[in-house]
Amino acid sequence: MLRGIILILALLSANSPEEAILDTWNAIQDGSPDIFLNTLTPTCSSSILQICGEYLETMKTLTPTELGELFASFRLEAAPNEIEFWNSTAILEMLISSPEHHQTINRSTMTIDSMQSDESTARAFITINLPCNDQVTLELSVTASPLGWHTAGLESIAETLLDRTINN
């Protein structure tokens, strides 16, 4: 428990925009939705949980067969009737810690290509090298708060990932 508290306090106090981005990347690799959400700005965190909540409502309209297929696509051993006990954080956990996605994340590398900073905001230009030799380039916002720097702007990425899982 003490280790977890120290980790959370460390994540809440990134000293630079670069540290904030690295904290977010490490939290995604860890697979913990709570640690991940703590690296984000409050607005970004709330928006992602709202998107996950909307996705959960969509999941609740699926048939047991469709849910079984969805769970199989995430390689989760979940039963269709379990989603009535889920919440937004459970959806986020499914997204970032399902075995296949977790393996992909852990075999990927992230490079901060450049940073444009202002007094209390920054834009980070990032390249993620995926295991299949693909590259993804992202532009992320980073914002200063009294508790340190936090990542922002991940809402559209989360929404795109969740939408693709339903449509595939």
Side-chain angles (χ1 to χ4, degrees):
M1 184 170 164
L2 179 61
R3 195 171 134 223
I5 291 169
I6 292 169
L7 178 61
I8 287 173
L9 289 175
L11 291 173
L12 290 174
S13 60
N15 294 318
S16 68
E18 292 89 351
E19 275 187 40
I21 296 290
L22 290 172
D23 287 349
T24 300
W25 177 252
N26 291 333
I28 291 171
Q29 286 186 308
D30 183 59
S32 167
D34 294 324
I35 294 172
F36 170 67
L37 291 170
N38 282 326
T39 69
L40 306 177
T41 63
T43 302
C44 183
S45 179
S46 294
S47 295
I48 286 178
L49 287 176
Q50 180 181 348
I51 290 165
C52 289
E54 291 167 4
Y55 185 80
L56 177 60
E57 292 307 311
T58 300
M59 286 177 65
K60 288 179 179 179
T61 67
L62 300 178
T63 66
T65 302
E66 291 169 326
L67 278 172
E69 290 172 4
L70 181 65
F71 291 146
S73 74
F74 277 108
R75 297 181 185 237
L76 297 175
E77 293 182 17
N81 62 353
E82 288 179 11
I83 66 160
E84 66 186 75
F85 304 109
W86 287 22
N87 61 18
S88 298
T89 305
I91 299 295
L92 181 59
E93 184 174 10
M94 176 184 77
L95 181 64
I96 67 175
S97 65
S98 69
E100 185 174 353
H101 291 171
H102 197 65
Q103 286 175 5
T104 300
I105 290 166
N106 283 330
R107 289 183 299 158
S108 300
T109 58
M110 182 201 61
T111 305
I112 300 173
D113 300 318
S114 65
M115 188 76 62
Q116 296 175 350
S117 28
D118 198 1
E119 197 170 300
S120 63
T121 61
R123 292 211 99 27
F125 299 89
I126 297 165
T127 300
I128 298 175
N129 293 301
L130 300 168
C132 55
N133 293 325
D134 284 342
Q135 283 189 342
V136 177
T137 304
L138 302 172
E139 181 180 333
L140 295 179
S141 303
V142 188
T143 305
S145 75
L147 296 174
W149 289 86
H150 288 81
T151 307
L154 293 174
E155 300 91 338
S156 63
I157 296 169
E159 189 167 20
T160 300
L161 291 172
L162 287 169
D163 284 344
R164 285 191 181 165
T165 61
I166 287 278
N167 295 324
N168 288 337

